[in-house]
Amino acid sequence: MSLCLAILRAPTGDAWPLDGWGGPALIIVSLAIGFTIGRRRRGSATSKPSPPSNIFASAEATDLGLLSIDANGNLTKWSPGIGPRLGLSNMETTTLIHARRWRQNIHESDQPALSSIIDDASPTHTGQGQFRVKDESQGWRWMYAQCLADEFGSMQMLLVDLTDRVETERQQQEAAHVHRVVATVIETLASAEEVEETATEVLALLGEELQLTRLSWFEIAPRSREATLLAAWPADGSGRSRTFDPRPGISNQPGLLDRGLPLLGPSDQPQALFLPVLLHGRLASVLTLETNARDRWTSATLTELSRIGDAFGRRIEQEETADERQAFAALRGSLERSEVIAQLTSGVAHDFNNLVFAISGRVSLLLRHAKDPTFVEGLEEIR
């Protein structure tokens, strides 16, 4: 069996080419046919299934399996290792399963691909292709199949589970896409004049590119932790989004958010994600991302999205610093103007005092020599 596994390492890629391992796979399928078909005739659908052959009993690897299909499309045998991934582990390997019943686990959009694989199979030609099948955990698994038929229409199908490889490639592509989106968001924030005016554009970009259901930006009060909606996507007619209450996700203090780390949503919102925005080391606001996709928040995605919270925080701090500088400059200009006015007032008062002192001295001298009461009264009025 280990030799079979070594031979059947299917290459990755969209087309899943068979060059390099198609020949050995055909040999294995031919051996399976020799062990399992025997003297079976076209009416084998009503006959009692034969005991598992040696090759079926030995194919116990979870990523490799063999199926035996009669001329009517009914599933008559399968290797034990592949059973759980086909949703068949609770059935005996000698149980005949009607064609409609076992094929109902195949993804609806992949039914034509499976039919093509079976129709192309013949004693001299291998039907081959890939399809998705629902396993016992209700998840979809990618299977690559090669199928050979005998002269009576019965066939053997060799399956290789490629789910891990397909999922790895999907996660890599998703990580690259998220990286590009995050880079665009950071660049948009860096070039924005004001964060609040650009927030709507940024949220729409994130929501559309990441295929989110809702995205909101909440301001968090320092003491009460009360959340106030600042912006949201998508918005309804009133300009406000249908959002869930974020307080259950941010009520724990101190927690991940206070340390600048992302936090997955509560039990009633498991697909929600909280991204903290810190200002000078304090939790100031939270971005909430919601999605319907399963297992969307991988570690790589969380690392990338955390950069958005950091970018929001840095940009707001820059705005606050610029505002403080402008306020200080305005205050300084005001103080400088006040100082100039004070100097001017002091100079004018000094000069005016000199004039008043001269007039007062002259009046005092005149009063000493004045005899006329009317003249004296006028001088007193002047003084």
Side-chain angles (χ1 to χ4, degrees), residues 23 39 56 180 185 291 313 317 331 339 354 364:
R39 299 178 180 178
F56 272 85
R180 290 191 296 269
V185 168
T291 177
E317 288 178 351
L331 177 61
E339 184 178 355
N354 289 338
S364 297

Side-chain angles (χ1 to χ4, degrees), residues 12-44:
T12 59
D14 295 336
W16 304 107
L18 299 177
D19 296 342
W21 66 283
L26 290 176
I27 296 175
I28 294 177
V29 175
S30 299
L31 290 174
I33 294 174
F35 275 110
T36 57
I37 295 179
R39 299 178 180 178
R40 185 178 303 172
R41 293 296 182 264
R42 188 170 299 275
S44 60

Side-chain angles (χ1 to χ4, degrees), residues 114 117 127-131 143-147 157-160:
L114 178 59
I117 295 171
Q128 52 190 343
Q130 61 186 29
F131 53 84
M143 294 289 176
Y144 187 86
Q146 282 193 333
C147 188
M157 181 178 292
L158 177 67
L159 295 177
V160 179

Side-chain angles (χ1 to χ4, degrees), residues 118-325:
I118 294 176
D119 293 341
D120 290 345
S122 69
T124 59
H125 184 267
T126 303
Q128 52 190 343
Q130 61 186 29
F131 53 84
R132 286 163 290 180
V133 61
K134 184 181 295 184
D135 61 14
E136 293 178 343
S137 63
Q138 300 302 306
W140 294 102
R141 305 198 69 84
W142 280 98
M143 294 289 176
Y144 187 86
Q146 282 193 333
C147 188
L148 272 179
D150 64 6
E151 55 184 315
F152 304 108
S154 299
M155 59 191 67
Q156 306 296 315
M157 181 178 292
L158 177 67
L159 295 177
V160 179
D161 190 341
L162 301 174
T163 306
D164 293 342
R165 300 185 184 185
V166 172
E167 183 64 21
T168 298
E169 288 189 354
R170 187 195 66 80
Q171 291 180 1
Q172 292 174 347
Q173 294 174 356
E174 172 71 12
H177 176 66
V178 173
H179 178 80
R180 290 191 296 269
V181 173
V182 171
T184 303
V185 168
I186 293 176
E187 182 179 355
T188 302
L189 288 173
S191 60
E193 294 184 0
E194 294 185 6
V195 174
E196 291 191 7
E197 292 183 357
T198 313
T200 303
E201 177 185 352
V202 169
L203 296 187
L205 173 64
L206 282 173
E208 293 171 359
E209 291 294 331
L210 301 183
Q211 297 180 349
L212 303 176
T213 56
R214 283 178 287 181
L215 205 162
S216 310
W217 183 23
F218 292 96
E219 183 180 25
I220 308 301
R223 295 184 179 180
S224 64
R225 310 279 282 193
E226 182 179 354
T228 303
L229 183 64
L230 297 177
W233 175 92
D236 58 18
S238 64
R240 296 177 66 87
S241 172
R242 298 178 292 106
T243 58
F244 70 96
D245 186 357
R247 284 174 293 182
I250 62 175
S251 59
N252 295 330
Q253 184 179 8
L256 294 176
L257 296 178
D258 295 272
R259 288 180 282 157
L261 300 176
L263 177 67
L264 295 179
S267 57
D268 59 333
Q269 291 288 342
Q271 301 302 324
L273 175 66
F274 298 94
L275 294 179
V277 178
L278 302 184
L279 294 183
H280 309 291
R282 177 187 63 82
L283 180 64
S285 59
V286 173
L287 292 167
T288 61
L289 289 69
E290 299 175 72
T291 177
N292 291 329
R294 295 179 56 189
D295 303 327
R296 179 64 185 276
W297 311 125
T298 63
S299 58
T301 300
L302 293 180
T303 300
E304 288 291 340
L305 293 178
S306 296
R307 298 170 55 202
I308 295 179
D310 295 339
F312 264 89
R314 288 195 304 269
R315 190 65 186 87
I316 295 174
E317 288 178 351
Q318 290 174 358
E319 282 190 8
E320 291 182 350
T321 301
D323 293 341
E324 291 174 356
R325 289 177 179 174

Side-chain angles (χ1 to χ4, degrees), residues 333-382:
S334 176
L335 292 175
E336 289 177 348
R337 289 193 298 272
S338 299
E339 184 178 355
V340 171
I341 293 174
Q343 292 176 353
L344 178 61
T345 303
S346 176
V348 171
H350 181 268
D351 293 339
F352 187 74
N353 285 338
N354 289 338
L355 293 174
V356 172
F357 180 76
I359 296 172
S360 177
R362 296 288 182 177
V363 170
S364 297
L365 289 175
L366 291 174
L367 284 173
R368 290 178 184 179
H369 302 285
K371 302 297 184 181
D372 185 4
T374 304
F375 186 65
V376 171
E377 184 180 357
L379 289 176
E380 290 290 345
E381 184 74 19
I382 293 174

